Every structure is written in C-alpha cells, then in structure tokens.
C-alpha cells in the first residue's frame, strides 16, 4: 500500500527547543565518530593463551603459548584457528572440548595511541561486549571487572593511556568455575535448563541461569554445549574534547496519515558551559532532503538533554511487508562549536504505531498486533542464534536467512531469549525487509535469581542499554520479559516442587520474578521503549494466573512433538496467538555430509546421534514415531531425511493453515524454528548452511497473502479461504474431487469475494457425502483460489494417512534446458506425484521451487541456477517422491 506523499510540508519548531541542564552521570556513550569525537579501533592483532596457572595447562601445554587471537571473537574459534582443537561442528567433537569452558583465558593487546587522539581531553576504552567474567588491566592496572555479556563497558582511561606501548590485558574467568561455589552452597537449588551430559558441571548445580551470558552456550535441544568466553564485540577508544553526544533519538509523539509529530532528543555531556550549533537534516525514504535547520544553544556543565520538536505532514509510514512500504527516514545531525565539528551522526528510523490488542471478547482476551491502526496476522517463526560463536556470523548469512523469511511470506520473527541481542545489522535488515520483531529479553528458560537485587540491577542496566540501542528500529514491535519462565514455574511443577521443599524461599523466588519481569523490565520499556508494548513472558497472559492459556494471551503448544500427540491435534488447538509449535526434521543430505561420512549415516550411529540434540527423549525415535504414524517406513538414512522433512512440512502446514483460518480469533502463527545454530537435526525450516528444508518451501505457500486451506480431520474436510490483503478480492474458488490416476469425480467453480484481512469457511465436506466412486486410498480433494483464470493458491486433503494411500508411479518426465543465464527444469506428471523432492547431489544449485505435489496431467517449469554444465545437471538430477517408498523397495530408490 503506497501512501500519498504529495505536498510534504514540514518545519522545525524552534520555539519549543527545550534545554535541561542536569547533573552529570556517566551514560553509555553512543558509538559516534567524526570530528573532535574520534575513535581508535582496537580490534585486530590480539594474542591469547591458557595461563600456566590454570589446572588444564598440564594437559593442553600448547595452548599455554601466546597465539594470535581474533577480536571480536571467541576462545573456541581462536583455538580452532591454530588447530589446537578439533572442529566443534564435525563428528562428535563436543565431549572432548568441554575443558575449554572450565578454563581461564588470557587475552592481550599491545598498541600505540593514534596520533589524532593523543591530545583529546577524554579517552574512554569501550568494550561493546565481553563474554562474560573478565578482569581488565590497562598498563598493569586493573580498571574493571565485568559480569554481563549483554552490556557495553565504557571505561575512562585517559590517566593510564600512554602514547606508545600500551598493554591491554583481560583475564576471562570460567563462567562455570566463577559461579559454581555460590550455586553449590545453596541449600535449595533453582531449576536450570539442560544439565551437561559431559561431566564438566555437576548436574545438580547448574550455573547457566546465574550468568548474564547467552543461555544456549550451555547446550540446548538443537545445539551443542560450548561454554565459550571471549571479547565478542568490538573494542575501541572513543576520544573527545569538551562536548560529547551520548544519545540521539527521534521520538514519535503522535502519528497518523496526516502528520507525524516528532522530537529529536539529544543527550550531551559538556565539561563546562558552552555554546554549540546544531544542524539537523531529515531525508525522506528516497533520500531527498525535506528539512534542514540550524539551532544555536547553550549547554550547561555536565549532562544536558535537548528536545527539538519536528513535524512531517503526510508522512510515509513504515509497514510490515505485505501491508505497505518499508519507509525509512534518515536524520543527519551535525554538532559544531564555532568552526569545529564536534560530532556528526545519522539515525535511521521508520514512522509507525504499534499496539498490542488485548480486548476481552467471546473467547477470552485477545493478543494481536495492530500496526498503524491495522490489525495484522503475524506469520513467521522463532529465530535462534546463527552460530555457537557469534563472531562467525557474517551480515551476508543474516541477510540470506532474513530474505528467505520474507520470501516465505513471513512478516514476524521472534528473537528467542536463550541467545543474545542481535547485531545492529540484523535490525537494520529487518527494518528494510519489513519483518516485525518480537524481541525477548535474554532469558531462555528455567529460574533466575531475580530475588537478588544485584542480579536485577545488572539486568536493568542491560535492558536500558539494549532498549536505547534498538529503539529507533520500527521492526521491533514487542519487548518480552522471558521465554517460558512463567509457565515453567506455574505448569511444569518447578514452583510447586520448590514450595514443597521450602515455601519461604519459593515465595522469595516468585516475588523476585514478579519484581523483575512484572515491574522492572516493564518500567524500562515503558520509559525508554518508544511506545513498543511490553509482555512479561512467552507464553503468558501478562502475569495473569494462567500462563499458557489457549483463550488468553500467547501460547506455546508442544502436545505435538514433546507430548507425542498425533499431528491432527493441531486442529483442536485454537489459540489467540501461537508463538511456538514445532516438529523436527533432518537437514538436506549435503548438510549431513558436512559432519558425518555416508558410512556413519544411520539413525543410531554415534555421529548422527551427536547431532540430534533433543534431550527430553530419543529424538530420532520421536521422528520415527511421527513418520510411522503417516508415512512408509524409511529404509535408508536418505529416506529418513526425506520423510522427516515431509512430515515436518505437512504437519506445520496443517497447524499454520488452521491458525490462519481461525483469524481473527487467532492472530499469529510463529513456528519453532526458522534457522539453525549448527548442522544437525532440529525444528528449523532452514539449515545452518542456509538450505531450505521442505518446510520452508511449504511455508512460502501456506503463508501466502491469499491462501486456501483444505483440512481433513475426523472424516470431515473443512475448506477455508484466508486473505491478509487490505483490499477485498474478487476471485473464484474451485473444488475438485479426483483420484490419483486423474479421474475427476467432481469439479466446481464458484465466485468468491474475499473480504480484506479476513478468513472465511467455504465448505465442510464429510467423507460420507463424497461421490459414490470415491475410494479412501485413491481419492483426494483439491481446493483452489482462482484469479483471472489462474490458480493462485491450492490445498490438497487426503482422506487417510499417506502410508495407506495407493500411490501409482506418477510417470514423471523431467527435462533440463539452458536459457540465457540460467536453466529451466520442466516436470510433467501423468498421475499424482506426491511430495516431489529434487536435488543435484553435491552440486550447489538453487531451484525456484521444491517440495511440491503435481496433480495428474500437470506440468511445472522451474528456474534452476547452478554453476554446473547441462550434462552434469542432467546426470546428477535426483527426483524423490512418495510413491517410490511405497511401491519400490527403498534400498534401490535413491
Ligand atoms: C521451546 C523453546 C526452546 C526449545 C524448543 C524446542 O519451548 O522455547 O526452549 O528449544 O521449545 O524444544
């Protein structure tokens, strides 16, 4: 939806310039460069070693020598770079690498001060992130101790810095060893997450919940345990003279299609009273300057807050993709003192309003997002970290995955709380791509010592810094206290068990929880979060009695998978907003090949099991349980990969289509999970290397703006049409009842006016009323939406489980032809070709579609991109489909 942007009128309201001089307090410095504010980057040639005094030194003597280190980085990746350890992602390296998390590490940098900062009046050493417990020494003097991987550390260093030969040294303590004594001393323990199976930490004294460090480092049910340490974000010296810009923010006071009322808010530190010139320019989303203004103002000594009102008439508002444009304005600020530039910086932001709809209605209490006044059904997935070692994540890797999310018609991602607050690049891309973000604070599960005021203070400082860093991003639409901590306490027996053991301590723990997640974090978000709503826990109902309630608030639904219930149970669960549900699958063959040789690929081989992390049971058995319920038995590991992906894709599709059909009762469907942290089995739709599993191809169809759902359950096929578009659609819908050989038993088309932003049930067809010639094992129902004569959405319902279908050989014909700069793959099926999967062995390629079903007599033409020549592609094309596993012995089917 393009908004009118003619007659832009704007002005700068000088009269309302507010100037408040307050007392001086050290606020985290914004990363501003240029002019008298200058930055020396201290990333680069660091060294690291295992100190000789560490108990591990005797066994790992080579690591006690100084080796070059990468900063930002992690000790695991530094050790790997020097081949001091095996690749943590290959084979079953994990157990043998646990000593690293129990050791102390020393990092060192020698440096000269850049010439242009030597005379600066202020020289601050800034660490953007340290994982986690460090003592920092500058030129032999201890200048700080750190205890939170999610915070920045700004350390005034002028008095210690020399022109030449400075030495910066960090001792990084083992997070386990640092916390273990205090945890072991507790008479009653707090429930943690996943105990280590490797013996590096006692199972009854888990330390992870006490550390402000990425929770997933301690092992999760989709990733390995690598309790890493490192200087994981940039290090620099920020120098300045008499005035320093600490924060710059564009506050949105009022916004509608007519007008945006904004304020440019500045926080400045001044050594003494002084006069400065501010130059502010606003560039519209096309980069055209729409405002330029100079203001002269007086700063008081110490901390100064400035508020400069701004107005934009007929603003272009930011929308999630699919609803409108991703309009982004840039505000350029230049601060001068006389002729001298103090600092120059640019802030990019989008103008949008976000509300969390919480109406009480006939079902309970709603949970849904309203953007610029328009209710939006959230479609997407949960995001986990992109790597065990964040320094390895390149912007291109993030972009490929976020782009894939957009391509699959997702409009929301939930950044789950067991990882870390993402890089600026991540949020910039989400703004550009129109992906709404549900941002958890970093609490992944279990119970934290929120009753400890020092712990809370540390979290509040972290929250404040992160909110200030991220509040300009229009993509962020929710701040959420934590993942699953409330439901764990209330529903998983954790609260009850502790109450039985020690009611006073339990009450203390719960009171701490309520203070941190009910009050402290809410206050920070309300005060600093630029109008973004706060939600105390997912799943939850904002601290109401019941935490994971289908009628109120958001829901995590794990009866399917964790509870082993049938996939059809998804159809009996109609939440207000489904923020987690999931099914596992193995990644594509080439990804499995990256960590295990073919000879080791079987569902119970040690290497395969090392990459199957589901810990609450046997993951491969759970996969087999779900495959066996619906599909033929896998005979080879390749079958297992194919069938696990098919089961995952069809299961999630069933749930997501049910959620979408239940709009407006249900207003979101975020499956678990979008991406992977390493190559292995998991709930992801995209694997570690960025390859789409069958699920992601399905997601592009089941999340399409216009969709049709034919959902068969208990002898009835319910057909619904869904539209996320904001205009009514004049369509037709087509219903066919046909068999696997192509015989059509019924074919009807009806006109359909699909109301904007709605879902409607079109028909209910019971098996009993199907045409007499129908047979349960060969007949199926095809529902389609038709626009201008073309099928734009399709859903197929089978009358019984796939393994009971009599699928014929579809007589597939495939041809590949070369076109200008790519290839085309033509496929034709004479009979029903169910669940086709195309690949080219080890040859890298990209196909415009995959994981598809062709109706009898149907053809499709796919774009194929590959660096390989035509002959190689023709020779290496492998086509899988379901009938192969049912008709032909599987051993010969791949
Ligand atoms: C959810 C998440 C994760 C977990 C996933 C799969 O509850 O919050 O903690 O990885 O389940 O079990």
């Amino acid at each position: 939806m393009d908004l009118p942007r003619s007659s832009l009128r704007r002005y700068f309201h000088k009269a309302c310039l507010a100037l408040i001089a307050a007392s001086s307090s050290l606020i985290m410095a914004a990363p501003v460069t240029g002019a008298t504010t200058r930055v020396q980057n201290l990333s680069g040639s660091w060294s690291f070693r295992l100190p000789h005094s560490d108990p591990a030194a005797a066994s790992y003597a080579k690591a006690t020598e100084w080796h070059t280190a990468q900063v930002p980085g992690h000790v695991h990746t530094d050790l790997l770079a020097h081949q001091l350890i095996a690749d943590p992602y290959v084979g079953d390296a994990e157990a043998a690498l646990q000593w690293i998390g129990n050791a102390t590490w020393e990092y060192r940098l020698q440096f000269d001060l850049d010439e242009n900062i030597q005379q600066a009046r202020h020289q601050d050493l800034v660490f953007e992130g340290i994982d986690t417990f460090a003592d920092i020494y500058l030129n032999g003097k201890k200048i700080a101790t750190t205890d939170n991987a999610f915070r920045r550390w700004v350390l005034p260093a002028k008095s210690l810095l020399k022109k030449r030969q400075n030495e910066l040294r960090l001792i990084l303590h083992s997070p386990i060893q640092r916390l273990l004594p205090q945890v072991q001393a507790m008479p009653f323990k707090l429930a943690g997450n996943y105990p280590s199976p490797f013996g590096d930490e006692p199972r009854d004294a888990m330390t992870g919940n006490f550390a402000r460090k990425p929770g997933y480092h301690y092992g999760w049910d989709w990733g390995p345990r690598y309790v890493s340490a490192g200087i994981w974000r940039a290090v620099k010296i920020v120098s300045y003279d008499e005035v320093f810009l600490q924060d710059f923010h564009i506050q949105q006071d009022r916004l509608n299609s007519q007008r945006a009322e904004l304020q440019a808010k500045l926080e400045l530190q001044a050594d003494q009273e002084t006069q400065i010139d501010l130059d502010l320019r606003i560039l519209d989303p096309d980069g055209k300057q729409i405002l330029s203004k100079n203001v002269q103002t007086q700063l008081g000594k110490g901390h100064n807050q400035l508020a400069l009102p701004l107005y934009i008439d007929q603003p272009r508002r930011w929308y999630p993709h699919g609803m409108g444009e991703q309009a982004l304005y840039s505000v350029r600020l230049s601060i001068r003192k006389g002729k001298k530039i103090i600092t120059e910086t640019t802030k990019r932001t989008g103008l949008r309003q976000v509300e969390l709809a919480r109406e009480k209605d006939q079902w309970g209490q709603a949970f849904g997002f309203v953007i610029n006044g328009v209710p939006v059904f959230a479609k997407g997935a949960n995001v986990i970290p992109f790597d065990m070692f964040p320094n390895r994540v390149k912007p291109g890797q993030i972009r490929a995955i976020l782009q894939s999310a957009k391509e699959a018609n997702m409009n929301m991602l939930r950044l789950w709380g067991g990882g870390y607050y993402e890089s600026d690049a991540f949020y910039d891309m989400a703004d550009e791509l129109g992906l709404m973000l549900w941002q958890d604070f970093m609490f992944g599960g279990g119970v934290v010592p929120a009753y400890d005021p020092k712990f809370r203070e540390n979290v509040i400082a972290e929250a404040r810094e992160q909110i200030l860093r991220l509040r300009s991003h229009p993509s962020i639409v929710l701040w959420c206290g934590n993942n699953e901590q409330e439901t764990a306490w209330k529903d998983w027996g954790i609260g009850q068990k502790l109450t039985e053991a020690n009611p006073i301590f339990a009450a203390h723990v719960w009171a701490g929880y309520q203070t941190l997640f009910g009050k402290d974090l809410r206050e920070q978000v309300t005060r600093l979060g630029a109008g973004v709503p706060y939600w105390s826990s997912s799943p939850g109902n904002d601290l109401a009695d019941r935490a994971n309630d289908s009628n109120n608030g958001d829901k995590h639904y794990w009866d399917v998978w964790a509870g082993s219930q049938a996939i059809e149970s998804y159809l009996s669960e109609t939440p207000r907003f489904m923020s987690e549900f999931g099914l596992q699958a193995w990644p594509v063959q080439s990804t499995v090949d990256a960590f295990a040789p073919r000879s080791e690929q079987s569902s119970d081989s040690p290497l395969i099991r090392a990459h199957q992390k589901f810990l609450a049971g046997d993951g491969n058995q759970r996969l087999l349980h779900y495959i066996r319920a619906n599909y033929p038995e896998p005979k080879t590991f390749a079958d297992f990969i194919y069938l696990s992906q098919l089961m995952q894709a069809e299961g999630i599709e069933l749930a997501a289509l049910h959620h979408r059909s239940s709009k407006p009762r249900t207003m979101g469907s975020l499956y678990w999970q979008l991406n992977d942290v390493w190559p292995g089995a998991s709930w992801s739709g995209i694997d570690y290397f960025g390859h789409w599993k069958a699920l992601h191809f399905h997601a592009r169809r089941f999340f399409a703006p216009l969709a049709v759902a034919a959902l068969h359950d208990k002898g009835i096929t319910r057909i619904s049409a869904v539209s996320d578009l904001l205009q009514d659609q004049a369509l037709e819908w087509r219903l066919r009842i046909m068999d696997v050989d192509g015989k059509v038993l019924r074919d009807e088309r009806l006109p359909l006016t699909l109301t904007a932003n709605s879902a409607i049930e079109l028909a209910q067809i019971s098996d009993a009323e199907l045409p007499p010639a129908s047979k349960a094992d060969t007949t199926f129902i095809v529902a389609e939406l038709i626009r201008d004569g073309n099928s734009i959405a399709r859903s197929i319902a089978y009358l019984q489980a796939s393994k009971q279908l009599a699928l014929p050989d579809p007589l597939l014909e495939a041809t590949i032809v070369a076109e200008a700069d790519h290839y085309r793959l033509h496929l034709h099926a004479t009979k029903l070709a169910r669940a086709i999967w195309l690949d080219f062995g080890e040859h890298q390629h990209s196909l415009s579609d995959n994981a598809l079903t062709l109706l009898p007599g149907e053809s499709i033409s796919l774009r194929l991109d590959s660096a390989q020549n035509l002959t190689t592609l023709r020779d290496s094309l492998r086509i899988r489909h379901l009938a192969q596993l049912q008709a032909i012995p599987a051993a010969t089917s791949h």
Side-chain angles (χ1 to χ4, degrees):
M1 182 169 65
D2 270 327
L3 295 170
R5 52 195 155 91
S6 54
S7 70
L8 271 175
R9 283 190 298 113
R10 57 269 147 182
Y11 51 93
F12 191 88
H13 202 100
K14 243 197 265 179
C16 290
L17 178 79
L19 173 67
I20 307 149
S23 65
S24 149
S25 73
L26 187 78
I27 292 186
M28 297 300 129
V32 177
T33 55
T36 65
T37 300
R38 282 183 289 259
V39 174
Q40 177 174 353
N41 186 356
L42 295 184
S43 308
S45 46
W46 286 70
S47 312
F48 83 113
R49 70 171 176 185
L50 176 67
H52 290 280
S53 55
D54 192 275
S59 318
Y60 302 97
K62 274 205 173 145
T64 62
E65 292 160 22
W66 286 108
H67 289 88
T68 57
Q70 205 194 336
V71 170
H74 285 269
V75 66
H76 286 78
T77 43
D78 288 332
L79 289 163
L80 180 63
H82 293 282
Q83 296 173 343
L84 296 170
I85 58 168
D87 189 322
Y89 285 8
V90 176
D92 54 359
E94 195 179 350
L97 300 184
Q98 293 308 315
W99 65 274
I100 302 166
N102 265 312
T104 305
W105 296 96
E106 187 175 359
Y107 276 72
R108 173 179 87 176
L109 173 76
Q110 271 142 1
F111 66 97
D112 297 340
L113 267 196
D114 281 356
E115 208 125 295
N116 66 355
I117 70 171
Q118 285 176 1
Q119 304 309 325
R121 288 168 67 168
H122 298 267
Q123 295 160 348
D124 291 348
L125 193 52
V126 178
F127 288 86
E128 297 286 354
I130 299 174
D131 182 8
T132 292
F133 297 101
D135 294 326
I136 305 173
Y137 297 85
L138 178 60
N139 295 330
K141 185 156 187 289
K142 186 163 163 182
I143 55 168
T145 299
T146 68
D147 60 358
N148 188 331
F150 308 123
R151 287 179 64 183
R152 305 173 78 223
W153 306 97
V154 179
L155 312 169
K158 166 107 176 153
S159 61
L160 290 173
L161 282 168
K162 306 179 286 187
K163 283 189 182 161
R164 309 222 180 289
Q165 292 183 339
N166 293 287
E167 190 194 58
L168 191 53
R169 206 164 65 84
L170 274 79
I171 301 292
L172 292 163
H173 299 280
S174 154
I176 300 172
Q177 293 306 321
R178 172 51 63 102
L179 294 167
L180 200 54
Q182 99 186 44
V183 175
Q184 279 181 317
M186 291 172 72
F188 299 93
K189 303 284 188 290
L190 301 180
N193 280 313
Y194 300 110
S196 172
F198 305 112
D200 56 312
E201 179 184 73
R203 296 177 73 91
D204 63 351
M206 285 183 265
T207 60
N209 286 8
F210 292 78
R212 294 310 297 146
K213 169 177 170 62
Y216 78 112
H217 280 177
Y218 295 84
W220 218 266
D221 57 359
W222 33 256
R225 177 181 173 94
Y226 289 123
V227 186
S228 206
I231 305 165
W232 74 294
R233 295 286 199 213
V235 190
K236 56 200 174 192
I237 296 173
V238 176
S239 74
Y240 56 98
D241 291 328
E242 61 272 60
V243 176
F244 183 59
L245 175 67
Q246 292 172 313
D247 192 52
F248 170 43
H249 168 59
I250 306 301
Q251 181 176 302
Q252 300 178 23
D253 290 333
R254 222 158 273 119
L255 176 67
N256 56 38
S257 61
Q258 301 304 310
R259 189 169 156 94
E261 295 181 14
L262 314 170
Q263 292 185 66
K265 293 209 135 180
L266 279 65
E267 309 227 350
L268 290 148
Q269 186 69 23
D271 284 354
Q272 68 231 356
E273 272 190 30
T274 186
Q275 185 166 305
I276 56 165
D277 294 300
L278 300 175
D279 180 77
L280 203 69
R281 286 152 205 260
I282 300 187
L283 308 186
D284 77 2
D286 300 325
K288 202 173 113 222
Q289 188 171 306
I290 56 167
L291 177 148
S292 165
K293 217 58 183 171
N294 295 307
V295 182
Q296 206 167 62
T297 191
Q298 194 74 21
L299 295 183
K301 183 175 177 198
H303 182 224
N304 294 263
Q305 294 181 330
L306 305 185
L308 312 167
L310 306 169
Y311 305 98
I312 300 177
D313 281 343
Q314 284 163 326
R316 287 163 68 180
R317 288 179 290 175
W318 183 95
Y319 281 89
H321 91 93
M323 286 178 77
E325 69 166 334
Q326 286 72 62
L328 294 167
Y329 287 83
S330 295
V331 184
R332 285 197 189 147
L333 170 71
S334 164
I335 303 175
R336 275 172 291 116
K337 185 172 157 41
K339 289 221 166 70
K340 220 165 39 176
I341 295 172
I342 290 170
T343 196
E344 285 181 320
T345 188
T346 299
K347 194 80 166 185
R348 195 178 70 166
T349 194
L351 307 176
R352 62 100 187 82
Q353 247 182 345
V354 48
E355 293 157 68
L356 194 59
R358 298 287 291 133
E359 288 89 36
K360 297 217 162 111
D361 53 25
Q362 68 264 47
W363 301 290
Q365 193 172 3
F367 182 98
F369 294 90
V370 180
I371 305 295
N372 299 330
V374 184
V376 47
F377 188 99
K379 301 176 288 189
N382 287 266
V383 176
I384 62 164
F386 297 95
D387 202 296
M388 288 307 297
F389 313 112
N391 65 307
R392 298 211 286 204
V393 182
K394 300 286 171 287
Q397 186 183 349
I398 301 176
R399 187 169 285 281
I401 290 177
L402 297 192
Q403 185 69 43
S404 292
K406 179 177 181 172
E407 276 171 35
N409 291 305
M410 295 181 174
N411 61 13
M412 178 179 272
L413 300 174
R414 170 172 174 244
L415 276 111
W416 165 82
Y420 52 87
Y421 305 93
E422 267 294 344
S423 60
D424 293 342
F426 179 99
Y427 299 96
D428 284 342
M429 290 180 214
D431 292 346
E432 289 158 17
L433 294 169
L435 293 165
M436 293 181 285
L437 300 175
W438 165 319
Q439 177 70 55
D440 281 1
F441 284 103
M442 289 303 125
F443 295 92
V447 182
V448 294
Y451 50 80
D452 174 357
K454 279 220 175 77
F455 182 87
R456 281 207 310 275
E457 223 172 82
N458 196 357
V459 173
I460 291 168
E462 158 197 327
R464 182 184 151 74
E465 286 172 28
Q466 295 295 342
I467 298 168
L468 290 180
R469 176 171 75 98
L470 299 175
R471 64 179 164 175
S472 298
H473 293 283
S475 52
I476 297 179
V477 297
L478 188 74
W479 283 96
C480 174
N482 65 64
N483 175 68
E484 294 189 344
Q485 299 205 342
E486 193 175 324
T487 188
W489 181 264
K490 290 177 173 173
D491 304 332
W492 303 355
I494 288 176
Q496 195 189 338
K497 223 169 126 198
L498 194 61
T499 305
E500 280 161 16
N502 184 333
I504 294 173
F505 182 53
H508 190 49
V509 171
W510 183 242
Y513 177 94
Q514 289 176 303
T515 307
L516 180 58
F517 298 107
K519 180 179 149 289
D520 294 342
L521 291 177
R522 189 188 308 277
E523 270 172 15
Q524 293 301 319
V525 173
T526 308
R527 216 151 54 80
L528 306 170
V532 170
Y534 175 77
W535 189 242
S536 63
S537 183
S538 180
N541 192 31
D542 218 13
L543 275 162
D545 283 354
R546 292 190 58 189
N548 195 17
D549 183 350
S550 306
N551 292 321
N552 302 287
D554 75 314
K555 176 91 185 172
H556 292 191
Y557 180 76
W558 286 101
D559 290 6
V560 177
W561 182 267
S564 297
Q565 282 191 18
I567 287 192
E568 292 70 35
S569 310
Y570 279 138
L571 299 177
S572 317
E573 172 60 38
T574 309
R576 309 313 307 269
F577 189 107
M578 189 70 108
S579 40
E580 279 190 18
F581 62 107
L583 286 164
Q584 265 204 3
W586 280 93
V588 300
Q589 181 69 59
S590 62
T591 299
V592 178
D593 293 342
F595 63 82
R598 291 279 171 106
S599 57
E600 300 280 335
Q601 292 180 15
S602 68
S603 63
D604 53 9
S605 87
L607 293 198
I608 289 297
R609 291 175 75 89
H611 289 247
Q612 166 53 277
K613 291 297 182 184
F614 181 56
L615 300 165
D618 182 322
N620 283 346
Q621 283 305 319
R622 190 65 53 94
L623 275 170
L624 281 169
H625 162 80
Y626 279 105
I627 291 171
R628 284 173 180 149
N630 282 298
Y631 304 94
E633 181 75 16
K635 301 274 183 353
T636 65
F637 198 73
D639 294 348
F640 190 37
I641 293 174
Y642 166 77
L643 287 169
S644 69
Q645 289 197 18
L646 176 60
M647 177 279 295
Q648 178 196 38
E650 294 194 337
I652 300 301
E653 173 166 322
L654 191 79
L657 286 177
H658 169 62
H659 302 149
R660 295 191 66 195
S661 305
S662 306
K663 173 160 96 171
R665 177 173 171 178
T666 304
M667 283 307 285
S669 183
L670 308 181
Y671 62 75
W672 185 271
Q673 69 205 54
L674 180 70
N675 60 310
D676 267 343
V677 76
W678 82 328
S682 84
W683 296 264
S684 78
I686 303 176
D687 75 21
Y688 174 69
F689 297 110
H691 299 305
W692 292 16
K693 297 181 186 174
L695 170 58
H696 207 78
F697 289 100
H698 279 240
R700 187 164 58 186
R701 297 187 283 261
F702 66 65
F703 279 152
L706 291 172
V708 64
L711 305 173
H712 184 265
D713 190 30
K714 302 186 187 84
I716 295 176
T717 305
R718 203 162 43 95
I719 301 177
S720 310
V722 186
S723 172
D724 291 337
L725 300 179
L726 302 182
Q727 297 84 25
D728 294 353
Q729 302 293 312
L731 307 169
E732 283 180 291
W733 82 276
R734 182 181 187 188
L735 173 71
R736 271 181 289 175
I737 298 170
M738 56 198 301
D739 78 9
V740 292
D741 294 326
K743 193 153 93 199
V744 178
L745 307 176
R746 193 167 146 189
D747 186 352
E748 287 168 16
R749 283 176 182 236
L750 287 170
L752 169 69
T753 302
L754 194 49
T755 309
N757 209 358
S758 75
I760 180 174
E761 187 171 279
L762 300 172
Q764 285 201 12
I765 305 167
S766 81
D767 293 355
E769 57 183 289
L770 291 170
S774 307
K775 284 205 209 114
D777 61 349
T778 53
T779 302
F780 57 93
I781 297 173
V782 186
E784 276 173 306
L785 298 183
I786 314 275
R787 183 161 55 195
D788 305 329
N790 301 314
S791 167
I792 53 165
R794 173 190 285 177
S795 180
I796 302 176
Y798 300 91
L799 306 180
Q800 51 187 24
S802 294
K803 64 180 177 185
Q804 291 158 339
L805 299 179
L807 293 177
D809 182 341
L811 306 173
L812 274 174
E813 292 156 42
T815 46
I816 304 175
V817 294
E819 298 203 341
D821 60 346
H822 61 275
Y823 300 98
R824 290 216 81 83
L825 169 58
H826 300 286
L827 266 184
H828 175 80
T830 302
K831 300 184 177 192
L832 177 75
R834 173 130 196 231
I836 297 168
W837 181 260
L838 305 157
D839 80 75
F840 295 87
E842 75 275 19
H843 301 301
Q844 289 292 326
H845 66 277
S846 134
L847 268 172
S848 58
D849 205 357
N850 210 340
L852 29 92
T853 289
L854 293 183
L855 298 180
E858 200 168 38
S859 299
I860 193 166
S861 163
L862 304 174
R863 182 187 165 117
L864 167 63
D865 287 278
S866 172
Q868 302 300 324
N869 65 35
L870 193 55
T871 314
T872 309
L873 290 172
R874 283 178 176 153
D875 291 348
S876 59
L877 171 64
R878 284 189 316 195
I879 307 178
R880 283 185 157 266
H881 57 81
L882 202 52
Q884 288 167 333
L885 296 181
Q886 280 167 335
I888 311 166
T892 59
S893 68
H894 65 99

